[in-house]
Amino acid sequence: MTTPHRLLSRAEAQVHKNLFTMTDKAHQAVEQAMEALKTQNAELAQEVIDADLQQNHLMRIVEKECLQILATLEPKAGDLREVVASLQIATELERIADHAKDIANIVLGMDASDFSGPMDRLAAMGDLCQNMLVQVMEAYENLDAGLAEHVASHDHQVDELDEEACSSLMMTLMSTGDISMHATHLLWIAYHLERMGDRITNIAERVVFMVTAETPELG
């Protein structure tokens, strides 16, 4: 392996390492935000909010690393696709953590005395998003386009759960009002979970692009 190739491999390995650190932080943020919702734990919600600064910092590091690779190492073909895809994946991981942070902020504004609604569907959405995130990054690590497409196929389940939760909450709004804003808060939480599913599908598309040089419409 020539020196430029060694430098490129080393630089790409560092990007991969930081992306998986971002993945761990995004997964933890979603898990903790949903636990804070379930238990109405304000301290845990605040932890999610505070930790988001680290995720933002990591995204800036990955951006810098990828742009440096593009500017100084001039990657070609598959390496170029991988660097571009990694840069886009970092953005999606940062946004997934943002959605978790937004859920945590909503939890802080909720009235703990009013705890009703389609919590089972919201919990299922959170679990599904966490599982999809783990699998899509496994697809990234192994350059497995088939697994990426499999992950994206689950996005419709997130959408279906979102529709069920929102239908239930809209019925509440129309029949009893929402003086405490509880139903409105849960509607926003459902929105953020649905968007997480979309973000993970975007990552799946980037993985397929890395492997096949095609950008499919998944999900």
Side-chain angles (χ1 to χ4, degrees):
M1 183 182 293
T2 64
T3 298
H5 285 162
R6 283 199 299 271
L7 291 173
L8 179 58
S9 296
R10 191 179 305 160
E12 289 175 340
Q14 185 60 44
V15 169
H16 293 173
K17 178 181 176 181
N18 286 327
L19 280 180
F20 279 99
T21 300
M22 290 187 71
T23 301
D24 290 341
K25 289 186 178 300
H27 188 279
Q28 182 179 43
V30 177
E31 184 177 41
Q32 290 183 331
M34 295 307 294
E35 181 64 19
L37 172 64
K38 178 181 176 181
T39 62
Q40 292 290 287
N41 186 329
E43 291 184 3
L44 185 57
Q46 189 61 53
E47 286 181 21
V48 175
I49 295 165
D50 294 342
D52 190 60
L53 291 174
Q54 299 173 23
Q55 187 78 324
N56 295 340
H57 178 64
L58 278 167
M59 186 189 72
R60 288 191 292 271
I61 289 175
V62 172
E63 285 180 339
K64 182 178 178 180
E65 290 170 342
C66 288
L67 292 175
Q68 189 170 10
I69 291 171
L70 292 173
T72 64
L73 299 178
E74 300 181 350
K76 306 297 183 183
D79 287 320
L80 177 60
R81 292 198 302 273
E82 183 172 344
V83 173
V84 172
S86 296
L87 181 58
Q88 294 169 326
I89 289 170
T91 299
E92 298 298 345
L93 290 170
E94 190 274 335
R95 289 173 178 170
I96 290 168
D98 278 346
H99 288 303
K101 179 189 69 175
D102 290 337
I103 291 173
N105 272 313
I106 293 169
V107 170
L108 290 180
M110 292 179 70
D111 180 359
S113 65
D114 180 14
F115 197 70
S116 58
M119 299 303 299
D120 58 335
R121 293 170 181 82
L122 295 180
M125 290 175 74
D127 290 342
L128 187 54
C129 285
Q130 291 175 66
N131 291 335
M132 289 171 65
L133 179 58
V134 170
Q135 288 189 321
V136 82
M137 292 307 291
E138 180 183 337
Y140 167 81
E141 183 175 24
N142 297 317
L143 296 177
D144 189 336
L147 179 57
E149 292 173 347
H150 174 73
V151 172
S153 71
H154 289 297
D155 189 44
H156 77 278
Q157 293 178 254
V158 179
D159 293 340
E160 289 174 359
L161 288 165
D162 177 53
E163 290 177 6
E164 292 173 7
C166 290
S167 295
S168 174
L169 291 166
M170 290 303 295
M171 288 295 294
T172 299
L173 285 171
M174 290 187 290
S175 61
T176 64
D178 194 23
I179 297 174
S180 70
M181 293 292 289
H182 181 78
T184 301
H185 286 145
L186 294 184
L187 279 169
W188 275 109
I189 288 172
Y191 164 79
H192 287 297
L193 290 167
E194 191 275 334
R195 291 300 293 141
M196 283 184 199
D198 291 342
R199 300 292 183 194
I200 295 166
T201 298
N202 290 343
I203 294 175
E205 290 181 351
R206 295 301 93 201
V207 173
V208 174
F209 168 73
M210 286 170 57
V211 178
T212 68
E214 298 178 357
T215 305
E217 290 296 328
L218 302 178

